[in-house]
Amino acid sequence: TQLLEQSPQFLSIQEGENLTVYCNSSSVFSSLQWYRQEPGEGPVLLVTVVTGGEVKKLKRLTFQFGDARKDSSLHITAAQTGDTGLYLCAGAGNNNDMRFGAGTRLTVKP
Amino acid sequence: EAGVTQFPSHSVIEKGQTVTLRCDPISGHDNLYWYRRVMGKEIKFLLHFVKESKQDESGMPNNRFLAERTGGTYSTLKVQPAELEDSGVYFCASSHAGLDGYTFGSGTRLTVV
């Protein structure tokens, strides 16, 4: 059983469309991170959210942490082909070791 | 500033052999983490160093895995003897304090045949 469930597992959209991916858990996390990973590379940190209800924006990306700190979403506006990649959410454990979801693989077609 | 460096990037070994993976964290980062992704599964935590001390090794699969961080700088992860199920990508990450500057390396892809 995964600690963090990410949905959808795969998403294929056209350039210019909007999308939202989700990260859900039955556990409460002190903080949650979103990463993007490309083939042959390690995960690259996009954002850390720590406060329930927090919303952070990074250009066309909007991250939200649920009020109960059990879930999070990532919304991308006007997706570009360069957004293609594997998006991972990870919750911080007691020693800041990260517990990862399986990821959402996003493909943005031109 | 150099990022987290892992060596080798790929390794193919036979079952029963020994392999040693190396991770050089970002200079000044006291925290060093090892993770692993086996095919089709999520990235899983293996262990955590604070400087040269093992803070948490609850994720280590079994006693065939040995991690060290002598002097609190680079770390090695040795698998001896390797089994087929050890195949996967091994990631290292480091951070300054807590989640500050949490950075992953590019990983070592280990294939045991």
Side-chain angles (χ1 to χ4, degrees):
Chain A
T1 303
Q2 289 184 14
L3 193 60
L4 284 163
E5 298 281 347
Q6 290 192 246
S7 60
Q9 189 177 358
F10 298 94
L11 183 59
S12 180
I13 61 171
Q14 293 294 135
E15 193 169 30
E17 293 183 348
N18 301 331
L19 67 112
T20 302
V21 298
Y22 302 92
C23 175
N24 295 294
S25 176
S26 57
S27 301
V28 175
F29 290 101
S30 58
S31 62
L32 191 141
Q33 297 185 325
W34 283 93
Y35 292 83
R36 180 163 160 260
Q37 186 179 15
E38 298 194 50
E41 299 295 328
V44 175
L45 180 63
L46 297 174
V47 76
T48 300
V49 286
V50 297
T51 306
E54 181 177 4
V55 177
K56 280 193 173 178
K57 292 194 175 185
L58 185 66
K59 297 183 181 178
R60 294 176 294 101
L61 278 60
T62 301
F63 305 86
Q64 185 163 8
F65 200 14
D67 291 340
R69 291 185 287 129
K70 292 182 178 181
D71 55 86
S72 181
S73 63
L74 159 59
H75 181 80
I76 301 179
T77 303
Q80 300 175 355
T81 55
D83 295 329
T84 293
L86 179 66
Y87 288 83
L88 298 161
C89 69
N94 292 335
N95 293 308
N96 292 318
D97 51 286
M98 305 310 294
R99 310 301 166 104
F100 282 86
T104 292
R105 190 165 296 281
L106 172 66
T107 302
V108 182
K109 295 179 285 187
Chain B
E1 178 185 73
V4 176
T5 306
Q6 292 188 244
F7 182 83
S9 57
H10 295 81
S11 180
V12 181
I13 61 171
E14 292 184 350
K15 176 183 172 180
Q17 289 186 322
T18 298
V19 64
T20 300
L21 314 181
R22 173 169 169 147
C23 169
D24 286 73
I26 291 174
S27 178
H29 280 193
D30 288 341
N31 294 281
L32 187 150
Y33 303 85
W34 282 99
Y35 292 86
R36 176 175 76 167
R37 169 185 266 153
V38 296
M39 188 179 296
K41 300 288 184 65
E42 69 274 21
I43 298 172
K44 286 196 171 177
F45 165 78
L46 296 179
L47 88 159
H48 170 209
F49 283 99
V50 177
K51 296 184 181 178
E52 68 275 9
S53 299
K54 291 178 185 174
Q55 183 77 11
D56 180 355
E57 52 184 328
S58 62
M60 294 287 263
N62 51 61
N63 59 10
R64 295 185 294 102
F65 289 74
L66 175 64
E68 295 180 322
R69 192 182 182 195
T70 306
T73 54
Y74 71 90
S75 174
T76 57
L77 178 64
K78 182 163 72 173
V79 185
Q80 178 183 30
E83 298 289 344
L84 299 179
E85 65 264 25
D86 300 332
S87 295
V89 182
Y90 289 77
F91 291 104
C92 174
S94 71
S95 72
H96 175 59
L99 297 176
D100 180 22
Y102 214 102
T103 305
F104 278 81
S106 296
T108 294
R109 181 172 294 278
L110 174 65
T111 304
V112 183
V113 297

